[in-house]
Amino acid sequence: MLAFIQYQLQSYIRSLRFIPPVILFFVWVFILYAYNYAPILSSYAVSSIAIYLAMTWITMSVFTLDEESEKHILISHLKSKVSYLFGKWLTILIVMIPLLLFAIFFPIITNSFKGNMTISLYAYAFYSHLAFVAFGVIVGTLFSATKFATKKYSWLSAVLMIVVSLGSKSLIEMTSLFKWILWIFPPVFKVVGYMEGEDQVIFNTTFLKDSVFVVIYLMIAAVLLVSLFKRKER
């Protein structure tokens, strides 16, 4: 597995596909903190959304690195389709680490916040960014490694899913009918909903329930993606 991850990282770097999403992410964060005295939580909410977009893009790029023939050879060497999928995910998470650290620590190093960081703010910053990384990996995998990965519309479908998930709160407010449809989309407002207003996080029962919902959603999504990937590669 380690050799496979190393090979994937080398292939991804050589392909230069990482340049557009990474540069756009860095530019987004630079612009976000162009002025000092930025609010902490709402700024982290914006960078969380940025990492959501970047990780969806990176995930789709990593999963489309291999040609079909090369993919089958790699799966045969790994002796498991699931190992191939997990290897891809681990590769993506390694690529994610510098982006995550940059998003969280850049405004602290440049003293861009108007308030002071606390342990609870650090904890929620990591939680929100990791949750959105996971959302991006889920969306990217769905539209690049399953039967939903049609060449013509995969990128458009991924963008549509991101837009709907980001606008789900407004859609639900328009009509309660959407509440029963939008549960299949990443629950982004179960995360960023706590990053509005004052720079403090209240870890109450509602927060705990929403966090558990997010974790359960990600676990179910991962299980479904494994099943969909195995069906595609029959």
Side-chain angles (χ1 to χ4, degrees):
M1 178 64 77
L2 185 61
F4 173 69
I5 294 171
Q6 187 176 18
Y7 171 73
Q8 287 294 301
L9 286 171
Q10 290 174 349
S11 298
Y12 189 54
I13 292 170
R14 288 171 183 166
S15 71
L16 302 180
R17 295 187 184 187
F18 69 93
I19 292 177
V22 169
I23 287 180
L24 284 176
F25 176 76
F26 283 147
V27 169
W28 188 319
V29 174
F30 275 124
I31 293 173
L32 177 61
Y33 298 110
Y35 301 96
N36 291 333
Y37 305 107
I40 298 173
L41 284 178
S42 58
S43 298
Y44 277 143
V46 175
S47 60
S48 295
I49 294 171
I51 211 168
Y52 181 22
L53 300 171
M55 291 311 299
T56 302
W57 192 339
I58 289 169
T59 299
M60 296 184 75
S61 298
V62 169
F63 270 104
T64 53
L65 271 177
D66 310 321
E67 298 292 338
E68 284 298 316
S69 57
E70 184 182 5
K71 184 198 301 181
H72 294 309
I73 293 171
L74 289 170
I75 290 174
S76 65
H77 279 294
L78 290 168
K79 299 179 181 179
S80 170
K81 297 171 185 176
V82 176
S83 296
Y84 177 87
L85 179 62
F86 284 176
K88 287 283 190 177
W89 280 346
L90 289 172
T91 302
I92 293 161
L93 292 180
I94 291 171
V95 175
M96 168 275 296
I97 291 173
L99 302 186
L100 174 70
L101 296 177
F102 181 78
I104 292 175
F105 291 108
F106 175 77
I108 297 171
I109 294 171
T110 56
N111 197 28
S112 298
F113 290 140
K114 65 180 180 181
N116 296 318
M117 291 293 293
T118 63
I119 293 175
S120 61
L121 289 173
Y122 272 115
Y124 203 84
F126 274 99
Y127 165 69
S128 65
H129 285 82
L130 286 171
F132 275 84
V133 164
F135 293 153
V137 173
I138 292 296
V139 174
T141 304
L142 179 64
F143 293 109
S144 62
T146 70
K147 290 185 178 180
F148 291 94
T150 56
K151 290 184 178 180
K152 286 185 178 180
Y153 304 110
S154 58
W155 288 93
L156 180 62
S157 300
V159 170
L160 179 62
M161 191 165 191
I162 291 171
V163 171
V164 172
S165 66
L166 292 174
S168 59
K169 186 177 180 180
S170 299
L171 292 172
I172 292 172
E173 289 174 353
M174 289 172 56
T175 173
S176 59
L177 176 64
F178 286 117
K179 184 177 181 180
W180 306 105
I181 301 173
L182 297 176
W183 65 268
I184 63 174
F185 292 85
V188 298
F189 275 93
K190 297 287 186 182
V191 181
V192 296
Y194 293 92
M195 305 176 82
E196 301 171 348
E198 297 297 324
D199 287 333
Q200 59 182 15
V201 181
I202 301 174
F203 296 101
N204 53 22
T205 305
T206 305
F207 169 79
L208 181 61
K209 288 180 180 178
D210 285 341
S211 300
V212 170
F213 180 87
V214 169
V215 172
I216 292 174
Y217 175 90
L218 292 174
M219 291 174 63
I220 293 173
V223 171
L224 289 174
L225 286 174
V226 170
S227 177
L228 289 171
F229 177 77
K230 290 169 71 175
R231 288 184 182 182
K232 179 179 180 290
E233 300 301 327
R234 281 180 179 175

